Amino acid sequence: MMQAEPQPAPQLQPRLASQWHGVHDTYRNNLAGIQLQTESSADFSGQDISLKFGDLLYSLLQNDFLKTLKLANCRLTETCLLDLFEVLKEHPAIETVNLTKNRMTVKTVGSLKELLESNRKLKKVYANIPFG
C-alpha cells in the first residue's frame, strides 16, 4: 500500500511573509494551545495585536478547525484586515469573525465582500462598516 506524501506546512504569501517577518510568538502559541485543546474559538478582543499580527496569520494558515475568531477592538489597520481576509479566503472551517471597533475602510469592505463570496463556510462577520 502506498503512503501519501506528507503535505508541506502552509506558507504566507511572499508579500505577507516579508511584511510580517520578525514578529513575536505570543499569538502562534495561543492558537497552538487551542489546537491542543481542540477548542473551536479564539478570542483576542481588546488586545493590540497589530504588531504581532504575522503570527496570527501564520497560525490561521496551519489551523483547520477554528470556527470563531474574535478580534474586536484590536487596533487592526487596513493592511492587517486586508491580509486577514486573504488568509481567511482559504480557511476550511471558519464560520464567525468579530471585527467590531477596528479600522474598516472602503477598501477593506470591498475585500470583505470578496472573502464572503469565496469562503462559503463563513456565515457571520461582525464589523463597523463606514457609510459614505
Side-chain angles (χ1 to χ4, degrees):
M1 183 183 335
M2 294 182 63
Q3 291 184 346
E5 295 271 333
Q7 296 295 320
Q11 299 293 314
L12 286 173
Q13 297 174 6
R15 183 185 64 78
L16 296 179
S18 65
Q19 178 175 349
W20 299 112
H21 177 73
V23 292
H24 303 290
D25 291 329
T26 305
Y27 298 97
R28 181 181 307 138
N29 292 341
N30 189 316
L31 281 180
I34 290 167
Q35 185 172 5
L36 294 174
Q37 299 169 15
T38 65
E39 292 180 18
S40 62
S41 179
D43 189 352
F44 298 100
S45 297
Q47 300 179 45
D48 182 1
I49 63 171
S50 59
L51 296 177
K52 303 170 186 171
F53 202 65
D55 284 335
L56 177 64
L57 295 177
Y58 181 80
S59 296
L60 287 170
L61 285 168
Q62 296 188 51
N63 173 297
D64 63 357
F65 60 87
L66 190 69
K67 293 184 186 278
T68 302
L69 179 60
K70 298 177 182 177
L71 297 170
N73 195 26
C74 287
R75 299 182 183 180
L76 299 181
T77 64
E78 180 178 88
T79 301
C80 291
L81 291 167
L82 293 172
D83 291 347
L84 174 66
F85 297 160
E86 282 301 311
V87 169
L88 291 179
K89 282 180 182 178
E90 303 298 324
H91 197 280
I94 197 81
E95 295 176 357
T96 304
V97 179
N98 185 337
L99 300 169
T100 56
K101 298 183 181 178
N102 285 294
R103 295 180 187 209
M104 294 293 288
T105 63
V106 173
K107 189 173 182 179
T108 58
V109 170
S111 184
L112 176 59
K113 180 179 181 264
E114 292 173 12
L115 166 61
L116 291 168
E117 291 169 349
S118 65
N119 187 338
R120 297 296 181 180
K121 289 275 188 184
L122 186 57
K123 305 290 184 214
K124 297 177 188 175
V125 176
Y126 300 95
N128 302 99
I129 307 295
F131 290 97

